[in-house]
Amino acid sequence: MKLKPIALMFTCLFPLLSHAQDAQVDRYVVTFPQGDSVEYKGTYASAFPNGLPVGVGSGLQFVRKDGNDLIFATVTDRGPNADSPKAGKKDSKIFTNPKFTPLLMTIRVGDGKAQAIDAHALHDEQGPIGGLPLPEGLIGATNEIALDDALQTLPGDKRGLDTEGITPDGKGGYWLCDEYGPFIVNIDASGKILKKYGPQAEQGEQGVAGGLPNIIKWRQANRGFEGITRMPDGRIIAAVQSTLDIDGKSKNSALFTRLVSIDPATGKTAMYGYPIDADVYKKAKDAKIGDIVALDDHRILLIEQGGDKNKVMRNLVYVVDLAQASDLSAFDKEKAPEFNDAQQLKERGIRLAEKKEVLDLRRLGWQQEKAEGMTLIDNQTIAVINDNDFGLRSVLDNPDASGKKADDYEVDGKGHLTLDGKAVAAKIALKPLEKPESQNELWVIKLPESLK
């Protein structure tokens, strides 16, 4: 379904676009002509008579033009889940369909419609993979407690993935990135996993995959790789969504998040610091990367987003230049640069990437909370998409008189909410998200000037 095209004025800081001009925006709501939905037969199924909407849009990759139609590849994340209270000191999540398999899909844009078709389940030699968190004790484990909708504990899944980005591998398949490990995964066109990279285990650690710097294991839970792109020279770059939390001490003050590079041909890795807009947020951890897209061998487009000090959501697109950025790997051996302020970074000779704003999606009318997929159609046209979170949200039902908020409670993993250590009648219910949050919105944006 196509929404009315808009042309809005915006001012940006990028030199080529340094004065207000019109950006042409075609807006679409992604539909599923084949009737795709996620099965849900649980406790709150009556609220979802048609099942759950598929949550495409965690990543977006322009593939080709087919006549006048635009063809994109996209992926879902780990599946329908919702927030729930902590289990002791650990976070918990409700998984409404624990057997959900992340999907690779095609989006065709044409004739005023954006349609998601041709779903392929991600799989390996053992069969379809799942989206449940990894078991505790492994590198990549978020230490979340996975629950079903009756608040009963679910087992971890060593093969679980939370896919969040997609880029072509140059051989007919794709590279995906994941929030758990964080992992970088190579798949073929059918969704079969061919190769998997993750933080390299050190002595006493147990890893699921290796080949990437060990330090990225300190990603915040559910803040692993959020964007991935293939550079023209073949290197793969994946963006850690938010600041690393090294030894649980750096997430609130680090001035940058990491861009991790790997050359699949040689296994050589490097890491660069992307400078977040640190002064804008209440805490540094509030900054999030949405996606990244290669422009050439040293420049990428990047979405930075998050709630500012006034809890106002921001969604900005930057051109990021890595040409003069330091490889952080050499500095990590002494002391992780996440613990340095700007003056200390300068004294150590550490240079972060340079960036310039291209556009502000909010000024163009973007209303979704996050833009999680971005791709380059041509030198002057990009596309962005949101993730609709499978149209699902959790609410506190039948609250106790002394516990008005979900955060006032804990879960015991045996089907109960507890308050001050005692089981109560309150429940965490699941309800549909309202529009437009429940929709996947895809924008095709023609910029006033070329990006190259």
Side-chain angles (χ1 to χ4, degrees):
M1 178 174 64
K2 185 176 181 180
L3 304 178
K4 185 177 179 181
I6 60 173
L8 294 178
M9 302 293 288
F10 70 98
T11 304
C12 59
L13 304 179
F14 189 55
L16 292 177
L17 312 176
S18 58
H19 55 286
Q21 298 187 49
D22 288 339
Q24 301 296 323
V25 183
D26 288 335
R27 302 183 296 172
Y28 304 86
V29 172
V30 180
T31 58
F32 296 81
Q34 297 170 343
D36 298 273
S37 63
V38 178
E39 183 179 70
Y40 175 47
K41 296 182 178 180
T43 305
Y44 304 99
S46 61
F48 304 90
N50 299 315
L52 303 173
V54 179
V56 296
S58 285
L60 189 68
Q61 174 62 46
F62 175 66
V63 177
R64 68 182 189 279
K65 286 188 176 181
D66 184 6
N68 292 323
D69 291 358
L70 304 176
I71 309 299
F72 301 90
T74 187
V75 288
T76 70
D77 61 17
R78 58 182 173 175
N81 66 88
D83 293 335
S84 58
K86 287 184 177 293
K89 295 183 178 180
K90 296 181 180 180
D91 292 332
S92 71
K93 287 282 186 179
I94 298 170
F95 288 80
T96 62
N97 185 334
K99 295 182 179 180
F100 179 83
T101 296
L103 300 173
L104 168 69
M105 296 193 74
T106 296
I107 297 178
R108 176 181 286 269
V109 176
D111 296 326
K113 298 177 290 187
Q115 298 183 319
I117 56 175
D118 198 24
H120 294 278
L122 299 189
H123 59 283
D124 58 18
E125 298 291 349
Q126 300 178 49
I129 65 159
L132 292 177
L134 277 65
E136 191 172 349
L138 297 177
I139 294 181
T142 58
N143 295 324
E144 294 172 296
I145 304 299
L147 305 169
D148 64 19
D149 68 353
L151 303 185
Q152 299 279 349
T153 302
L154 296 166
D157 185 351
K158 189 175 181 178
R159 295 160 61 232
L161 288 176
D162 188 3
T163 44
E164 291 290 348
I166 183 170
T167 193
D169 67 358
K171 301 176 183 179
Y174 299 96
W175 290 97
L176 309 178
C177 66
D178 148 273
E179 285 198 280
Y180 283 150
F183 300 121
I184 294 175
V185 182
N186 189 201
I187 63 170
D188 66 17
S190 74
K192 182 178 180 179
I193 295 173
L194 307 174
K195 179 72 176 179
K196 188 175 185 179
Y197 293 99
Q200 185 66 49
E202 294 183 344
Q203 187 173 1
E205 296 179 333
Q206 186 179 359
V208 176
L212 298 180
N214 180 269
I215 195 169
I216 61 174
K217 71 186 179 187
W218 293 111
R219 55 91 188 96
Q220 298 175 51
N222 290 319
R223 303 281 188 93
F225 288 140
E226 185 68 25
I228 191 168
T229 192
R230 182 174 179 265
M231 308 298 271
D233 62 13
R235 288 176 299 143
I236 306 301
I237 294 185
V240 180
Q241 184 179 24
S242 295
T243 52
L244 295 183
D245 195 25
I246 301 168
D247 292 326
K249 299 177 180 179
S250 63
K251 67 180 180 181
N252 290 326
S253 57
L255 298 179
F256 61 89
T257 187
R258 296 204 179 206
L259 303 172
V260 181
S261 168
I262 184 169
D263 184 344
T266 64
K268 182 180 179 181
T269 63
M271 289 180 289
Y272 309 101
Y274 164 76
I276 61 172
D277 299 329
D279 293 339
V280 172
Y281 306 100
K282 185 176 181 180
K283 294 182 178 179
K285 70 178 181 65
D286 297 332
K288 300 178 181 180
I289 307 305
D291 204 358
I292 58 175
V293 181
L295 294 176
D296 52 41
D297 281 334
H298 63 90
R299 294 185 309 147
I300 61 174
L301 279 182
L302 179 148
I303 299 173
E304 180 180 333
Q305 54 197 359
D308 65 14
K309 291 177 181 177
N310 298 315
K311 298 184 179 180
V312 176
M313 195 66 186
R314 57 200 306 268
N315 310 84
L316 301 171
V317 179
Y318 290 96
V319 168
V320 180
D321 193 332
L322 304 176
Q324 302 301 318
S326 303
D327 180 357
L328 301 178
S329 306
F331 298 92
D332 289 337
K333 298 175 183 178
E334 178 185 344
K335 182 180 181 181
E338 276 80 358
F339 294 104
N340 296 143
D341 60 25
Q343 181 60 33
Q344 291 168 333
L345 290 173
K346 183 177 180 180
E347 291 172 355
R348 294 181 69 183
I350 297 173
R351 296 187 61 172
L352 303 180
E354 298 178 356
K355 71 178 192 179
K356 294 179 180 178
E357 183 182 328
V358 175
L359 61 86
D360 182 336
L361 291 174
R362 291 277 157 181
R363 291 186 188 177
L364 293 180
W366 184 263
Q367 296 182 17
Q368 301 286 357
E369 179 185 359
K370 295 174 288 185
E372 292 204 13
M374 178 172 62
T375 188
L376 193 68
I377 296 174
D378 58 41
N379 292 345
Q380 199 171 339
T381 311
I382 65 172
V384 296
I385 192 172
N386 72 299
D387 174 10
N388 70 349
D389 292 327
F390 295 85
L392 181 71
R393 64 188 178 99
S394 59
V395 298
L396 181 63
D397 187 33
N398 191 30
D400 192 86
S402 56
K404 299 299 184 182
K405 305 188 302 294
D407 289 344
D408 294 332
Y409 298 82
E410 291 188 359
V411 294
D412 64 3
K414 300 177 182 179
H416 306 103
L417 290 184
T418 63
L419 189 63
D420 298 325
K422 298 180 181 179
V424 293
K427 296 288 184 182
I428 298 296
L430 303 178
K431 293 188 176 182
L433 279 173
E434 301 296 329
K435 294 180 180 179
E437 289 84 5
S438 63
Q439 298 173 318
N440 287 120
E441 195 167 337
L442 188 153
W443 282 20
V444 177
I445 306 170
K446 185 172 184 180
L447 302 171
E449 303 284 349
S450 174
L451 290 165
K452 295 187 177 181

